[in-house]
Amino acid sequence: MKRNIVIAVVTAAALVGGGTATALAVAGDDDPTSVTRTDDDRDDRGEDRSDDRDGDDDDGAVRAAAPGDVTAAEAVTAALKHTPGTAVSAELDDGSWEVDVLAEGDTWHTVRIAPDSGKVLGAQKDDEDDAAEVRAALKGASVTAEDAAKAAAAKGTVVSVDLDDDGGDKGWEAETRASGGDARDWNVDPKTASVTPDRDDE
């Protein structure tokens, strides 16, 4: 009889608490020994939902594209195929290659290239007014941005190549990263493609 009372009390507790209850009754009507444990799984369900929401946020988060196998030279080639003209710079920025192209009519365009596939992510027209200086710096040059990137690649992974149209040392500048992450700056001759360390980087 007492055993029935214990089970009834435990069952009532489970219904009122909304949780689960486990009862263990050891035989003996006169002196039953019982162990009762009540787990409120409402808290557990709440915690699980919270964890799931956090996990969903992580999975849906927008992540910057990581640099892949597309080199600076290949990014320039892809950008010029999309927007014909003269590539003046290429830089790995915010997870994509950004290539500045001086097109016909002295109009500037920035073309974004995916570093893992080489696909064009987008292009936009820019308001730049230094077209004359750029064309003057490139006058007589036989080395393109693509050529400069290929030449500098012998020194490390090229993360940027840019035309220096200021001062007397007009030519290409390139930045490379070694496998250990060290950055180096280089000058690439616009006529011979010879690569020399940037004096300011020494």
Side-chain angles (χ1 to χ4, degrees), residues 44-69:
D44 293 339
R45 287 195 301 270
E47 291 174 3
D48 289 343
R49 283 196 299 268
S50 174
D51 292 343
D52 289 343
R53 283 195 300 268
D54 292 341
D56 290 342
D57 290 344
D58 291 341
D59 293 340
V62 177
R63 297 180 178 88
D69 295 331

PDB file of all heavy atoms in Angstrom, residues 44-69:
ATOM      1  N   ASP A  44      16.568  21.957 -20.069  1.00  0.00           N
ATOM      2  CA  ASP A  44      17.446  21.337 -21.058  1.00  0.00           C
ATOM      3  C   ASP A  44      17.007  21.684 -22.467  1.00  0.00           C
ATOM      4  O   ASP A  44      17.811  21.962 -23.342  1.00  0.00           O
ATOM      5  CB  ASP A  44      17.461  19.816 -20.881  1.00  0.00           C
ATOM      6  CG  ASP A  44      18.108  19.396 -19.567  1.00  0.00           C
ATOM      7  OD1 ASP A  44      18.870  20.226 -19.016  1.00  0.00           O
ATOM      8  OD2 ASP A  44      17.853  18.270 -19.118  1.00  0.00           O
ATOM      9  N   ARG A  45      15.675  21.654 -22.680  1.00  0.00           N
ATOM     10  CA  ARG A  45      15.190  21.978 -24.015  1.00  0.00           C
ATOM     11  C   ARG A  45      15.515  23.415 -24.358  1.00  0.00           C
ATOM     12  O   ARG A  45      15.881  23.744 -25.474  1.00  0.00           O
ATOM     13  CB  ARG A  45      13.684  21.738 -24.100  1.00  0.00           C
ATOM     14  CG  ARG A  45      13.312  20.271 -24.136  1.00  0.00           C
ATOM     15  CD  ARG A  45      11.878  20.120 -24.584  1.00  0.00           C
ATOM     16  NE  ARG A  45      10.951  20.821 -23.688  1.00  0.00           N
ATOM     17  CZ  ARG A  45      10.398  20.260 -22.628  1.00  0.00           C
ATOM     18  NH1 ARG A  45      10.670  19.019 -22.300  1.00  0.00           N
ATOM     19  NH2 ARG A  45       9.562  20.950 -21.873  1.00  0.00           N
ATOM     20  N   GLY A  46      15.397  24.304 -23.353  1.00  0.00           N
ATOM     21  CA  GLY A  46      15.712  25.712 -23.599  1.00  0.00           C
ATOM     22  C   GLY A  46      17.176  25.892 -23.951  1.00  0.00           C
ATOM     23  O   GLY A  46      17.535  26.631 -24.855  1.00  0.00           O
ATOM     24  N   GLU A  47      18.056  25.164 -23.210  1.00  0.00           N
ATOM     25  CA  GLU A  47      19.481  25.270 -23.489  1.00  0.00           C
ATOM     26  C   GLU A  47      19.806  24.729 -24.871  1.00  0.00           C
ATOM     27  O   GLU A  47      20.602  25.281 -25.595  1.00  0.00           O
ATOM     28  CB  GLU A  47      20.272  24.516 -22.429  1.00  0.00           C
ATOM     29  CG  GLU A  47      20.216  25.174 -21.066  1.00  0.00           C
ATOM     30  CD  GLU A  47      20.892  24.326 -20.008  1.00  0.00           C
ATOM     31  OE1 GLU A  47      21.436  23.261 -20.363  1.00  0.00           O
ATOM     32  OE2 GLU A  47      20.867  24.728 -18.844  1.00  0.00           O
ATOM     33  N   ASP A  48      19.134  23.627 -25.236  1.00  0.00           N
ATOM     34  CA  ASP A  48      19.399  23.046 -26.546  1.00  0.00           C
ATOM     35  C   ASP A  48      18.997  23.994 -27.659  1.00  0.00           C
ATOM     36  O   ASP A  48      19.688  24.147 -28.649  1.00  0.00           O
ATOM     37  CB  ASP A  48      18.644  21.720 -26.695  1.00  0.00           C
ATOM     38  CG  ASP A  48      19.231  20.617 -25.824  1.00  0.00           C
ATOM     39  OD1 ASP A  48      20.392  20.792 -25.380  1.00  0.00           O
ATOM     40  OD2 ASP A  48      18.531  19.621 -25.595  1.00  0.00           O
ATOM     41  N   ARG A  49      17.841  24.666 -27.476  1.00  0.00           N
ATOM     42  CA  ARG A  49      17.399  25.598 -28.511  1.00  0.00           C
ATOM     43  C   ARG A  49      18.372  26.749 -28.639  1.00  0.00           C
ATOM     44  O   ARG A  49      18.679  27.215 -29.721  1.00  0.00           O
ATOM     45  CB  ARG A  49      15.995  26.100 -28.177  1.00  0.00           C
ATOM     46  CG  ARG A  49      14.896  25.096 -28.484  1.00  0.00           C
ATOM     47  CD  ARG A  49      13.556  25.785 -28.502  1.00  0.00           C
ATOM     48  NE  ARG A  49      13.237  26.392 -27.206  1.00  0.00           N
ATOM     49  CZ  ARG A  49      12.562  25.773 -26.246  1.00  0.00           C
ATOM     50  NH1 ARG A  49      12.148  24.526 -26.412  1.00  0.00           N
ATOM     51  NH2 ARG A  49      12.302  26.382 -25.122  1.00  0.00           N
ATOM     52  N   SER A  50      18.867  27.219 -27.482  1.00  0.00           N
ATOM     53  CA  SER A  50      19.828  28.316 -27.520  1.00  0.00           C
ATOM     54  C   SER A  50      21.097  27.903 -28.241  1.00  0.00           C
ATOM     55  O   SER A  50      21.646  28.639 -29.049  1.00  0.00           O
ATOM     56  CB  SER A  50      20.143  28.768 -26.082  1.00  0.00           C
ATOM     57  OG  SER A  50      21.160  29.728 -26.090  1.00  0.00           O
ATOM     58  N   ASP A  51      21.571  26.673 -27.926  1.00  0.00           N
ATOM     59  CA  ASP A  51      22.786  26.201 -28.578  1.00  0.00           C
ATOM     60  C   ASP A  51      22.576  26.055 -30.069  1.00  0.00           C
ATOM     61  O   ASP A  51      23.445  26.358 -30.874  1.00  0.00           O
ATOM     62  CB  ASP A  51      23.209  24.851 -27.980  1.00  0.00           C
ATOM     63  CG  ASP A  51      23.670  24.995 -26.541  1.00  0.00           C
ATOM     64  OD1 ASP A  51      23.956  26.140 -26.155  1.00  0.00           O
ATOM     65  OD2 ASP A  51      23.729  23.982 -25.825  1.00  0.00           O
ATOM     66  N   ASP A  52      21.390  25.565 -30.473  1.00  0.00           N
ATOM     67  CA  ASP A  52      21.103  25.392 -31.891  1.00  0.00           C
ATOM     68  C   ASP A  52      21.081  26.727 -32.610  1.00  0.00           C
ATOM     69  O   ASP A  52      21.554  26.858 -33.731  1.00  0.00           O
ATOM     70  CB  ASP A  52      19.757  24.681 -32.087  1.00  0.00           C
ATOM     71  CG  ASP A  52      19.844  23.212 -31.666  1.00  0.00           C
ATOM     72  OD1 ASP A  52      20.987  22.706 -31.548  1.00  0.00           O
ATOM     73  OD2 ASP A  52      18.788  22.598 -31.458  1.00  0.00           O
ATOM     74  N   ARG A  53      20.510  27.730 -31.928  1.00  0.00           N
ATOM     75  CA  ARG A  53      20.463  29.049 -32.566  1.00  0.00           C
ATOM     76  C   ARG A  53      21.860  29.580 -32.782  1.00  0.00           C
ATOM     77  O   ARG A  53      22.181  30.119 -33.815  1.00  0.00           O
ATOM     78  CB  ARG A  53      19.651  30.016 -31.697  1.00  0.00           C
ATOM     79  CG  ARG A  53      18.143  29.799 -31.800  1.00  0.00           C
ATOM     80  CD  ARG A  53      17.418  30.987 -31.232  1.00  0.00           C
ATOM     81  NE  ARG A  53      17.750  31.196 -29.818  1.00  0.00           N
ATOM     82  CZ  ARG A  53      17.068  30.679 -28.818  1.00  0.00           C
ATOM     83  NH1 ARG A  53      16.037  29.893 -29.044  1.00  0.00           N
ATOM     84  NH2 ARG A  53      17.404  30.935 -27.572  1.00  0.00           N
ATOM     85  N   ASP A  54      22.711  29.410 -31.753  1.00  0.00           N
ATOM     86  CA  ASP A  54      24.093  29.871 -31.898  1.00  0.00           C
ATOM     87  C   ASP A  54      24.784  29.139 -33.031  1.00  0.00           C
ATOM     88  O   ASP A  54      25.518  29.719 -33.816  1.00  0.00           O
ATOM     89  CB  ASP A  54      24.873  29.649 -30.589  1.00  0.00           C
ATOM     90  CG  ASP A  54      24.356  30.561 -29.486  1.00  0.00           C
ATOM     91  OD1 ASP A  54      23.685  31.562 -29.809  1.00  0.00           O
ATOM     92  OD2 ASP A  54      24.630  30.257 -28.316  1.00  0.00           O
ATOM     93  N   GLY A  55      24.538  27.822 -33.118  1.00  0.00           N
ATOM     94  CA  GLY A  55      25.167  27.040 -34.177  1.00  0.00           C
ATOM     95  C   GLY A  55      24.696  27.487 -35.542  1.00  0.00           C
ATOM     96  O   GLY A  55      25.461  27.580 -36.484  1.00  0.00           O
ATOM     97  N   ASP A  56      23.384  27.797 -35.650  1.00  0.00           N
ATOM     98  CA  ASP A  56      22.858  28.249 -36.936  1.00  0.00           C
ATOM     99  C   ASP A  56      23.483  29.569 -37.343  1.00  0.00           C
ATOM    100  O   ASP A  56      23.772  29.809 -38.505  1.00  0.00           O
ATOM    101  CB  ASP A  56      21.330  28.390 -36.860  1.00  0.00           C
ATOM    102  CG  ASP A  56      20.649  27.022 -36.766  1.00  0.00           C
ATOM    103  OD1 ASP A  56      21.314  26.011 -37.104  1.00  0.00           O
ATOM    104  OD2 ASP A  56      19.479  26.979 -36.350  1.00  0.00           O
ATOM    105  N   ASP A  57      23.681  30.458 -36.349  1.00  0.00           N
ATOM    106  CA  ASP A  57      24.293  31.751 -36.659  1.00  0.00           C
ATOM    107  C   ASP A  57      25.695  31.564 -37.183  1.00  0.00           C
ATOM    108  O   ASP A  57      26.126  32.233 -38.110  1.00  0.00           O
ATOM    109  CB  ASP A  57      24.325  32.645 -35.402  1.00  0.00           C
ATOM    110  CG  ASP A  57      22.912  33.104 -35.023  1.00  0.00           C
ATOM    111  OD1 ASP A  57      22.016  32.978 -35.885  1.00  0.00           O
ATOM    112  OD2 ASP A  57      22.728  33.559 -33.887  1.00  0.00           O
ATOM    113  N   ASP A  58      26.430  30.609 -36.565  1.00  0.00           N
ATOM    114  CA  ASP A  58      27.800  30.375 -37.014  1.00  0.00           C
ATOM    115  C   ASP A  58      27.809  29.838 -38.432  1.00  0.00           C
ATOM    116  O   ASP A  58      28.614  30.237 -39.264  1.00  0.00           O
ATOM    117  CB  ASP A  58      28.508  29.382 -36.075  1.00  0.00           C
ATOM    118  CG  ASP A  58      28.762  29.995 -34.713  1.00  0.00           C
ATOM    119  OD1 ASP A  58      28.735  31.233 -34.626  1.00  0.00           O
ATOM    120  OD2 ASP A  58      28.970  29.237 -33.751  1.00  0.00           O
ATOM    121  N   ASP A  59      26.893  28.901 -38.719  1.00  0.00           N
ATOM    122  CA  ASP A  59      26.874  28.295 -40.039  1.00  0.00           C
ATOM    123  C   ASP A  59      26.475  29.296 -41.104  1.00  0.00           C
ATOM    124  O   ASP A  59      26.926  29.236 -42.237  1.00  0.00           O
ATOM    125  CB  ASP A  59      25.899  27.109 -40.070  1.00  0.00           C
ATOM    126  CG  ASP A  59      26.398  25.959 -39.198  1.00  0.00           C
ATOM    127  OD1 ASP A  59      27.605  25.943 -38.909  1.00  0.00           O
ATOM    128  OD2 ASP A  59      25.578  25.110 -38.808  1.00  0.00           O
ATOM    129  N   GLY A  60      25.595  30.244 -40.724  1.00  0.00           N
ATOM    130  CA  GLY A  60      25.104  31.192 -41.717  1.00  0.00           C
ATOM    131  C   GLY A  60      25.924  32.464 -41.783  1.00  0.00           C
ATOM    132  O   GLY A  60      25.594  33.366 -42.542  1.00  0.00           O
ATOM    133  N   ALA A  61      26.945  32.563 -40.975  1.00  0.00           N
ATOM    134  CA  ALA A  61      27.739  33.789 -40.964  1.00  0.00           C
ATOM    135  C   ALA A  61      28.449  33.969 -42.293  1.00  0.00           C
ATOM    136  O   ALA A  61      28.876  33.022 -42.919  1.00  0.00           O
ATOM    137  CB  ALA A  61      28.772  33.732 -39.824  1.00  0.00           C
ATOM    138  N   VAL A  62      28.542  35.223 -42.694  1.00  0.00           N
ATOM    139  CA  VAL A  62      29.245  35.530 -43.941  1.00  0.00           C
ATOM    140  C   VAL A  62      30.725  35.596 -43.639  1.00  0.00           C
ATOM    141  O   VAL A  62      31.178  36.348 -42.792  1.00  0.00           O
ATOM    142  CB  VAL A  62      28.764  36.880 -44.515  1.00  0.00           C
ATOM    143  CG1 VAL A  62      29.557  37.221 -45.763  1.00  0.00           C
ATOM    144  CG2 VAL A  62      27.280  36.814 -44.824  1.00  0.00           C
ATOM    145  N   ARG A  63      31.468  34.783 -44.323  1.00  0.00           N
ATOM    146  CA  ARG A  63      32.910  34.741 -44.102  1.00  0.00           C
ATOM    147  C   ARG A  63      33.624  35.248 -45.338  1.00  0.00           C
ATOM    148  O   ARG A  63      33.203  34.980 -46.456  1.00  0.00           O
ATOM    149  CB  ARG A  63      33.371  33.311 -43.800  1.00  0.00           C
ATOM    150  CG  ARG A  63      32.766  32.736 -42.521  1.00  0.00           C
ATOM    151  CD  ARG A  63      33.261  31.321 -42.296  1.00  0.00           C
ATOM    152  NE  ARG A  63      32.739  30.767 -41.062  1.00  0.00           N
ATOM    153  CZ  ARG A  63      31.600  30.132 -40.965  1.00  0.00           C
ATOM    154  NH1 ARG A  63      30.849  29.984 -42.022  1.00  0.00           N
ATOM    155  NH2 ARG A  63      31.190  29.644 -39.806  1.00  0.00           N
ATOM    156  N   ALA A  64      34.702  35.965 -45.104  1.00  0.00           N
ATOM    157  CA  ALA A  64      35.512  36.433 -46.230  1.00  0.00           C
ATOM    158  C   ALA A  64      36.165  35.257 -46.911  1.00  0.00           C
ATOM    159  O   ALA A  64      36.612  34.321 -46.268  1.00  0.00           O
ATOM    160  CB  ALA A  64      36.584  37.406 -45.731  1.00  0.00           C
ATOM    161  N   ALA A  65      36.191  35.328 -48.215  1.00  0.00           N
ATOM    162  CA  ALA A  65      36.822  34.239 -48.968  1.00  0.00           C
ATOM    163  C   ALA A  65      38.302  34.183 -48.662  1.00  0.00           C
ATOM    164  O   ALA A  65      38.983  35.190 -48.590  1.00  0.00           O
ATOM    165  CB  ALA A  65      36.607  34.447 -50.459  1.00  0.00           C
ATOM    166  N   ALA A  66      38.777  33.009 -48.444  1.00  0.00           N
ATOM    167  CA  ALA A  66      40.198  32.830 -48.157  1.00  0.00           C
ATOM    168  C   ALA A  66      40.981  32.771 -49.457  1.00  0.00           C
ATOM    169  O   ALA A  66      40.490  32.304 -50.471  1.00  0.00           O
ATOM    170  CB  ALA A  66      40.406  31.537 -47.373  1.00  0.00           C
ATOM    171  N   PRO A  67      42.217  33.286 -49.444  1.00  0.00           N
ATOM    172  CA  PRO A  67      43.036  33.213 -50.654  1.00  0.00           C
ATOM    173  C   PRO A  67      43.176  31.784 -51.136  1.00  0.00           C
ATOM    174  O   PRO A  67      43.374  30.872 -50.353  1.00  0.00           O
ATOM    175  CB  PRO A  67      44.388  33.778 -50.176  1.00  0.00           C
ATOM    176  CG  PRO A  67      44.057  34.626 -49.009  1.00  0.00           C
ATOM    177  CD  PRO A  67      42.885  33.964 -48.343  1.00  0.00           C
ATOM    178  N   GLY A  68      43.081  31.604 -52.424  1.00  0.00           N
ATOM    179  CA  GLY A  68      43.154  30.258 -52.975  1.00  0.00           C
ATOM    180  C   GLY A  68      44.306  30.107 -53.933  1.00  0.00           C
ATOM    181  O   GLY A  68      45.399  30.614 -53.701  1.00  0.00           O
ATOM    182  N   ASP A  69      44.057  29.451 -55.050  1.00  0.00           N
ATOM    183  CA  ASP A  69      45.114  29.121 -55.992  1.00  0.00           C
ATOM    184  C   ASP A  69      45.279  30.159 -57.096  1.00  0.00           C
ATOM    185  O   ASP A  69      46.181  30.041 -57.912  1.00  0.00           O
ATOM    186  CB  ASP A  69      44.827  27.757 -56.623  1.00  0.00           C
ATOM    187  CG  ASP A  69      44.871  26.638 -55.588  1.00  0.00           C
ATOM    188  OD1 ASP A  69      45.621  26.797 -54.608  1.00  0.00           O
ATOM    189  OD2 ASP A  69      44.161  25.648 -55.758  1.00  0.00           O
TER     190      ASP A  69
END
